[in-house]
Amino acid sequence: MLPAAVILAISAGWILGIALIPRILVQRRESGATLAWMLAVALLPYIGFIAFWALGTQRIRWRRRKRQLAEAAVAPGIAASTAAIRRFEALAEETALAALPEPARGLALLADKVGRPSCGGNSVELLVDAEATFSRIYAAIESAENHVHVEYYIWRADDTGRNFRDL
């Protein structure tokens, strides 16, 4: 039979490990890394606990600091953009909206409702051929004067993706 102190120490280690599991799950790591940390704190309670606090939490601090630096770099541009949108909103009253053709008016109203104010000077063209689409995108990127915002759900590291990234 084990002494009571040993049983107490083992129990305390397991409680520490179980208490740490929600913190591990919140960190949004890859599933393999999450499972490895959970097994480490469950099977090697004290060693896993110390290793996680020494190694695992530094990534979060670094990511948070990196995000704060990026937000600080972007904040002046966002403030200027917001001010420009506010000026546009002051000018774009019902008379300007009424002058739009019906499909454009509906689109402008929808954009305003979802928090993305509409602005003039835009056009839309439907491109169904991939080659034509990417040639138009490449031309638009090359003609950009300052910067380009791109949003894609799927990004592949093939020739097209690399060319797009390099532009």
Side-chain angles (χ1 to χ4, degrees):
M1 187 91 187
L2 292 173
V6 172
I7 293 173
L8 184 63
I10 291 172
S11 299
W14 277 68
I15 291 171
L16 280 175
I18 291 171
L20 192 57
I21 287 177
R23 170 94 172 149
I24 294 169
L25 291 172
V26 170
Q27 291 193 349
R28 297 185 181 183
R29 298 175 189 260
E30 292 182 14
S31 59
T34 301
L35 183 61
W37 278 116
M38 287 174 24
L39 288 173
V41 298
L43 299 176
L44 304 168
Y46 291 108
I47 296 170
F49 182 82
I50 292 169
F52 178 76
W53 283 109
L55 302 173
T57 56
Q58 288 181 351
R59 267 181 81 187
I60 295 300
R61 285 188 218 123
W62 172 247
R63 280 186 185 168
R64 185 181 307 134
R65 179 69 180 142
K66 189 176 176 182
R67 184 176 48 230
Q68 287 172 344
L69 290 173
E71 287 173 357
V74 173
I78 291 174
S81 175
T82 303
I85 289 171
R86 297 288 181 251
R87 285 193 304 273
F88 173 77
E89 287 175 346
L91 295 174
E93 294 296 328
E94 287 186 27
T95 55
L97 193 59
L100 292 173
E102 182 50 43
R105 187 179 319 125
L107 186 59
L109 290 171
L110 177 64
D112 289 339
K113 284 182 183 176
V114 296
R116 302 282 189 224
S118 56
C119 57
N122 294 316
S123 63
V124 176
E125 181 182 351
L126 181 63
L127 300 170
V128 292
D129 179 29
E131 190 173 313
T133 301
F134 280 107
S135 67
R136 292 293 297 272
I137 292 172
Y138 293 161
I141 291 173
E142 289 173 350
S143 68
E145 295 177 9
N146 189 347
H147 60 275
V148 177
H149 294 274
V150 179
E151 183 175 351
Y152 277 90
Y153 179 70
I154 297 174
W155 186 276
R156 293 197 177 134
D158 58 1
D159 289 336
T160 304
R162 283 189 292 274
N163 290 340
F164 195 77
R165 176 205 62 204
D166 292 342
L167 277 174

